[in-house]
Amino acid sequence: MKFPADFKKKYTNLLGDDAPSFFAGLQTEAVKAFRVNPLKEDYENIGYPLDYPVSYAPTGFYGSVSGKSLEHQTGYVYSQEPSAMYVAEVGNVKPGEIILDLCAAPGGKSTQIAAKLAGKGLLVSNEINRKRAGILAENIERVGPTNVVILNESPQGMARKITNYFDKIFVDAPCSGEGMFRKDPAAIKYWHKDYPAECAVRQKEILTEAMKMLKPGGQLIYSTCTFAPEEDEQIIEWLVENYELALIPVQKYEGMDSGFSRLAGNNKEVEKAVRLFPHHFRGEGHFIAKLQDKRETINVCSNIKEKKKKEKTNSVFRSLSKEEEKLWKDFESKVFRQQLFILDDLRCWGDQLFYYPSNWPNIQDLKFIKPGFQVGIFKKKRFEPAYGLALAIKSTNVQQIIDVTIAEWENYVSGNIITLVGKLPPNGWYALRCNGKVFGFAKSVNGTLKNFFPKGLRFTI
């Protein structure tokens, strides 16, 4: 790997005697890892070796997983670079919190945060780039949380509608990407000596909007995948100078370095942040800081709360018709052992059925990819379950379920029907399960399982 001369000069000056080891570390092979998903039943029974745990991430393990495996398709495993795993851990997310992941694609942090929420509270996962937001939505759907809203907004657009609302905000800021050079050498071609400073301007703009949305007393978790002090320590110094924020010490594990105070006006406080260097730590380059908002509770209602009384008239959703209520109830009672959702928490966007409790924010004026958890769709006096519903349910709550072989699973994910032999089940909807993992829905018609696996996700083994 050949580095720009300005990059070599910069980090030779910054790191001194440690610079040769730093450059040598960037020439070594990138480290692979994955997480298991506690939202799934029997989630550690995945068929992948769990012999090399990541010390700072309880669900993380070193190793690689196949994107064409049953475990990946059903969301039991999520491939994630090990340094990136630490961001959500630093956030110390608790069930019931209201969280914003502001720059969320492709979804590593969001899926990790969603698992920590354990179905309680709310995660708003946002990505400004439409294509990347689509990838984010697919990754979150596979993991199976029901309490995530996926937006496709600018930070400015969000902050105009939502203020003083989130308990914790994660800003994994767009950056110069120096920490990813080893993993993605193509990123080197975008780098030039002024690039980090240019990125810092954008980071400050994003953080300015993030602070408008943070609840008084909330926490901001800021991270980058760059080594540049302009985007790391100096951003933290700017935050502390301009807002009522105090740094919270980030726990350091083996190989983790403290923030460099000498790169931020000798401010010792930035040493509470953490730097991850590939030549010291088993992962890619990263910077993580955690800040506590020191404002006391203020008498300012969020825009969302101010609009609560108007929600019925200005919401993006509509209420279910009597016919739609009946179609859903019939499906729910036939397929499941117990009620999945309270009826008052279900709403329609067009002909699509969503789970969206009334205490969640009104997203009427925001761009979104998925306005809540998609349950299914109403079509010509019938109800069809969403693919994501299959990935969110526990098989113990399903009374209409069919177990299939790996070969039949492979047939299904490539878009083909499954033909049953022997005693045939009654016609109707069934959850499909392979090796204990629910992977989709199918409609049984005279012994043929009709395929409802999304066309855009189909693959061949």
Side-chain angles (χ1 to χ4, degrees), residues 278-309:
H279 64 302
H280 293 167
F281 177 78
R282 196 177 177 190
E284 305 313 297
H286 236 76
F287 175 87
I288 310 169
K290 184 175 183 179
L291 301 106
Q292 177 72 49
D293 186 287
K294 297 187 292 183
R295 294 174 297 169
E296 295 182 1
T297 302
I298 54 178
N299 189 25
V300 177
C301 294
S302 71
N303 291 343
I304 290 170
K305 291 180 180 178
E306 290 173 355
K307 293 180 179 181
K308 277 286 175 74
K309 294 181 181 179

Side-chain angles (χ1 to χ4, degrees), residues 14-15 233 257-264 270-271 275 277:
L14 285 176
L15 298 177
E233 288 89 352
D257 291 282
S258 297
F260 290 169
S261 58
R262 60 186 173 81
L263 302 179
V270 300
E271 294 179 4
R275 273 183 170 270
F277 285 105

Side-chain angles (χ1 to χ4, degrees), residues 83-357:
S83 293
M85 289 183 188
Y86 197 40
V87 180
E89 297 299 334
V90 167
N92 193 28
V93 172
K94 303 295 185 184
E97 291 182 324
I98 301 172
I99 308 291
L100 170 62
D101 188 0
L102 188 54
C103 312
K109 294 186 311 304
S110 282
T111 54
Q112 197 173 0
I113 293 166
K116 291 179 178 296
L117 287 174
K120 299 176 182 178
L122 173 66
L123 168 62
V124 176
S125 189
N126 180 71
E127 173 56 46
I128 191 171
N129 180 285
R130 186 77 181 182
K131 183 177 180 180
R132 283 169 55 82
I135 296 170
L136 170 67
E138 289 178 5
N139 285 332
I140 290 176
E141 178 181 58
R142 189 172 66 253
V143 170
T146 59
N147 57 333
V148 181
V149 174
I150 304 171
L151 300 182
N152 175 220
E153 262 293 351
S154 67
Q156 293 83 357
M158 284 193 67
R160 279 194 293 268
K161 302 297 177 182
I162 304 176
T163 57
N164 304 298
Y165 184 69
F166 295 101
D167 297 310
K168 291 173 182 174
I169 297 180
F170 289 77
V171 178
D172 190 31
C175 66
S176 57
E178 296 172 354
M180 293 291 110
F181 283 179
R182 183 172 70 168
K183 184 180 177 183
D184 182 19
I188 296 175
K189 67 181 180 181
Y190 299 107
W191 193 94
H192 55 83
K193 65 182 179 65
D194 297 321
Y195 192 34
E198 293 172 4
C199 290
V201 172
R202 179 169 54 172
Q203 288 152 4
K204 289 178 182 178
E205 291 172 351
I206 292 171
L207 289 166
T208 296
E209 305 306 320
M211 287 304 301
K212 296 174 185 176
M213 294 184 277
L214 186 66
K215 183 183 295 183
Q219 293 181 348
L220 174 70
I221 295 87
Y222 176 78
S223 59
T224 72
C225 55
T226 185
F227 308 113
E230 303 96 313
E231 305 173 73
D232 294 344
E233 288 89 352
Q234 290 169 23
I235 288 290
I236 299 306
E237 185 182 28
W238 173 83
L239 276 170
V240 171
E241 287 176 353
N242 287 276
Y243 297 95
E244 294 182 62
L245 293 169
L247 275 158
I248 300 174
V250 176
Q251 183 176 351
K252 312 295 193 302
Y253 289 79
E254 183 180 358
M256 296 184 179
D257 291 282
S258 297
F260 290 169
S261 58
R262 60 186 173 81
L263 302 179
N266 286 319
N267 184 347
K268 294 289 185 181
E269 284 292 294
V270 300
E271 294 179 4
K272 294 177 179 177
V274 63
R275 273 183 170 270
L276 307 180
F277 285 105
H279 64 302
H280 293 167
F281 177 78
R282 196 177 177 190
E284 305 313 297
H286 236 76
F287 175 87
I288 310 169
K290 184 175 183 179
L291 301 106
Q292 177 72 49
D293 186 287
K294 297 187 292 183
R295 294 174 297 169
E296 295 182 1
T297 302
I298 54 178
N299 189 25
V300 177
C301 294
S302 71
N303 291 343
I304 290 170
K305 291 180 180 178
E306 290 173 355
K307 293 180 179 181
K308 277 286 175 74
K309 294 181 181 179
K310 301 179 182 179
E311 186 169 304
K312 290 185 178 179
T313 58
N314 70 4
S315 173
V316 68
F317 297 106
R318 64 171 177 83
S319 299
L320 281 69
S321 68
K322 293 296 182 183
E323 180 184 32
E324 289 167 337
E325 282 187 18
K326 185 178 185 305
L327 288 170
W328 163 248
K329 286 181 179 178
D330 286 348
F331 173 85
E332 185 182 44
S333 63
K334 287 177 181 177
V335 176
F336 300 100
R337 301 181 188 280
Q338 296 178 335
Q339 183 183 34
L340 283 183
F341 304 107
I342 297 172
L343 193 60
D344 287 346
D345 290 338
L346 296 178
R347 309 187 186 329
C348 283
W349 176 48
D351 56 3
Q352 298 180 56
L353 181 64
F354 281 84
Y355 169 71
Y356 202 101

Side-chain angles (χ1 to χ4, degrees), residues 2-53:
K2 187 175 181 180
F3 302 112
D6 287 328
F7 180 82
K8 292 192 71 173
K9 180 179 178 181
K10 177 178 182 176
Y11 287 100
T12 296
N13 291 334
L14 285 176
L15 298 177
D17 293 342
D18 202 28
S21 296
F22 168 73
F23 292 117
L26 290 179
Q27 299 287 1
T28 60
E29 188 175 350
V31 179
K32 294 182 179 180
F34 63 91
R35 287 183 290 103
V36 295
N37 180 9
L39 292 178
K40 303 290 183 175
E41 52 192 338
D42 197 19
Y43 67 92
E44 291 183 318
N45 181 22
I46 59 167
Y48 281 97
L50 304 179
D51 301 327
Y52 304 102

